[in-house]
Amino acid sequence: MPRLWGFSLYRLLPEFRRLEAEHQEHLKEEFAQFLARWQEKEGFLRVYSLVGLSPEADFLLWQGASHPRALQALRREMHRTRLMGFLEPVALYLDRGEGEPGEGFLALFPFGLEGGPPEGARVFQGEGLLALEGPWEVLFPLALREGGYLAARRTPREALDEL
């Protein structure tokens, strides 16, 4: 059965860097715990780092849910965290599709691909977008040619530590 997908991208604002290191760590830990709790709820929530891989965004959240209320609930609860005051939403892509991501790198193509997906990549085809999961060696050349976002799967804390 198809489920709803929400791909949201965020950029860390420069004001965060001006905070004392201890305060930064506290905010990151609070947000990481929030994301870890959500990973145990309905559907799935995966965290990906785009640090060093995208000039537009620093991390990506891929949420899968059976109902739009779950997509809305995540964002509502995120806005109640203090770190969200230092995060700027860059993009939100919604779609329907099947499957759940594993452990590999992620390449997100919000408008699909010119050609077919490469051999060695796991395909998540939505109605309007395409997500591919696989090894860096397969996804990197494709992301260079086709654009899109290339991201590394991380635990919530690992992704925030890269900020």
Side-chain angles (χ1 to χ4, degrees):
M1 176 175 118
R3 67 173 18 155
L4 297 172
W5 287 341
F7 292 90
S8 49
L9 291 95
Y10 298 91
R11 175 184 17 240
L12 185 68
L13 296 174
E15 293 82 1
F16 182 80
R17 302 270 180 240
R18 295 184 196 115
L19 299 174
E20 293 183 26
E22 186 177 313
H23 190 53
Q24 289 179 12
E25 288 303 310
H26 181 71
L27 294 176
K28 288 194 285 187
E29 182 60 29
E30 176 187 63
F31 197 70
Q33 288 176 4
F34 163 77
L35 292 174
R37 283 192 308 274
W38 266 94
Q39 287 181 320
E40 299 170 3
K41 293 188 176 207
E42 173 189 351
F44 64 84
L45 178 66
R46 298 296 186 272
V47 181
Y48 296 87
S49 173
L50 287 97
V51 171
L53 304 175
S54 169
E56 299 170 21
D58 294 308
F59 71 93
L60 176 149
L61 299 179
W62 181 1
Q63 183 186 10
S66 59
H67 195 277
R69 283 191 301 263
L71 297 174
Q72 292 174 312
L74 173 66
R75 276 141 193 93
R76 182 182 61 243
E77 294 300 317
M78 281 177 59
H79 288 292
R80 292 180 179 156
T81 66
R82 292 181 289 164
L83 185 62
M84 278 303 293
F86 298 98
L87 294 173
E88 176 182 30
V90 172
L92 173 62
Y93 301 101
L94 299 174
D95 207 337
R96 290 189 304 185
E98 295 184 15
E100 193 167 319
E103 299 297 323
F105 280 84
L106 177 75
L108 174 64
F109 302 95
F111 307 106
L113 290 175
E114 294 275 328
E119 198 170 305
R122 186 171 170 210
V123 177
F124 297 94
Q125 180 70 54
E127 292 179 20
L129 58 78
L130 177 71
L132 301 175
E133 184 180 68
W136 169 263
E137 299 79 21
V138 171
L139 298 180
F140 181 68
L142 183 65
L144 287 178
R145 273 194 323 273
E146 299 274 349
Y149 298 96
L150 184 60
R153 170 90 187 269
R154 300 287 189 254
T155 67
R157 185 59 206 215
E158 288 171 338
L160 294 170
D161 281 344
E162 291 184 3
L163 295 178

